[in-house]
Amino acid sequence: MKIRIKFSKQGHMKFIGHLDTMRYFQKVMRRANVDICYSEGFSPHQKMSFAAPLGVGIVSNGEYFDIEVNSTDSSNEMIKRINEANVEGIEVLKYKLLDDNAKNCMAIIAGADYTALGLNKLLTKDDLVVYLSQPEIVVLKKTKKSEKEIDIKPWIYELKLTDEGLFMKVAQGSASNLKPDLVVSSLFNYLQKDIPSLITYQREEMYC
């Protein structure tokens, strides 16, 4: 059976990287006595697949991973058991049984919501209107091997100010992936404003 788990990652756990988060949940599955499936071969591993990795230093209200299990109790019971095995800063929010033919979450992620906390105090609605009115929003995107100019405007689906900060809905996934700090740096550079030295980003939700 395929299960999709939604969890939040807050507090000091934001400093735990993606690979360590995977290892953490492998241990939690054992502590919570989840009847998870293992691969075959000389080095069996739990059948577990995470959605888009979360950058170090970013907190989140909407992280996802899929597992395969041989058996399961009710969603409420499984959430209770897993959270009893969790440390402070990690909380399972949903535990959902999927159809047998459902694709894993890594393959279907296409977008995500982020909030740059506190930036509502440094920006105005007019700032966002002027920024988004550009025919193109060209930035220099660096990779491990090279760097190139790209137009990120098609990847910004929504940009607005909220009580918490600067909200952005952006492309996320294997086809196109826009990091929130790239949007913020582009925005502040265009407005010729100094970028705050320390910004906390929070991933709010992910979409297929």
Side-chain angles (χ1 to χ4, degrees):
M1 293 179 286
K2 296 180 179 180
I3 304 293
R4 180 157 297 154
I5 295 174
K6 179 181 181 180
F7 68 97
S8 62
K9 188 178 181 184
Q10 297 287 338
H12 293 302
M13 291 301 290
K14 71 180 181 180
F15 299 114
I16 304 300
H18 179 63
L19 292 179
D20 285 330
T21 300
M22 293 174 62
R23 296 186 190 102
Y24 164 80
F25 271 109
Q26 289 169 2
K27 295 177 181 178
V28 167
M29 294 298 107
R30 293 195 291 269
R31 289 200 297 265
N33 292 318
V34 177
D35 189 13
I36 194 167
C37 297
Y38 283 78
S39 63
E40 299 178 354
F42 292 106
S43 180
H45 60 271
Q46 295 179 7
K47 292 188 175 181
M48 180 182 293
S49 174
F50 280 72
L54 186 68
V56 174
I58 300 178
V59 295
S60 178
N61 291 321
E63 297 301 291
Y64 293 87
F65 68 96
D66 294 342
I67 59 174
E68 290 187 32
V69 297
N70 298 304
S71 63
T72 184
D73 288 329
S74 69
S75 294
N76 288 339
E77 173 62 22
M78 296 306 295
I79 290 173
K80 177 176 178 291
R81 275 165 48 185
I82 296 172
N83 279 335
E84 286 176 347
N86 272 326
V87 299
E88 183 179 353
I90 298 287
E91 181 183 5
V92 168
L93 306 173
K94 291 183 180 180
Y95 180 100
K96 181 180 180 180
L97 179 65
L98 303 176
D99 294 334
D100 291 340
N101 60 353
K103 294 182 179 180
N104 68 56
C105 54
M106 180 183 293
I108 60 175
I109 289 297
D113 293 343
Y114 289 90
T115 301
L117 301 175
L119 293 193
N120 54 327
K121 300 175 182 179
L122 304 176
L123 298 166
T124 67
K125 291 181 180 179
D126 288 341
D127 287 337
L128 304 187
V129 171
V130 172
Y131 175 71
L132 292 174
S133 67
Q134 302 174 83
E136 293 182 328
I137 300 177
V138 178
V139 300
L140 187 65
K141 188 174 184 180
K142 298 181 180 180
T143 65
K144 292 181 180 179
K145 296 182 179 180
S146 64
E147 56 183 30
K148 61 179 181 179
E149 288 187 341
I150 58 170
D151 177 16
I152 64 172
K153 187 174 182 178
W155 297 351
I156 302 174
Y157 305 138
E158 187 177 359
L159 202 61
K160 66 180 181 180
L161 298 178
T162 66
D163 292 340
E164 290 76 33
L166 174 65
F167 172 89
M168 59 195 95
K169 188 187 296 289
V170 297
Q172 195 101 101
S174 56
S176 53
N177 191 62
L178 182 57
K179 295 181 179 180
D181 56 342
L182 192 58
V183 177
V184 169
S185 62
S186 168
L187 171 61
F188 274 77
N189 286 335
Y190 178 77
L191 297 172
Q192 297 183 340
K193 292 186 176 184
D194 292 332
I195 303 174
S197 57
L198 184 61
I199 303 173
T200 298
Y201 295 95
Q202 178 164 275
R203 184 145 69 186
E204 306 291 357
E205 188 57 279
M206 286 190 277
Y207 304 97
C208 57

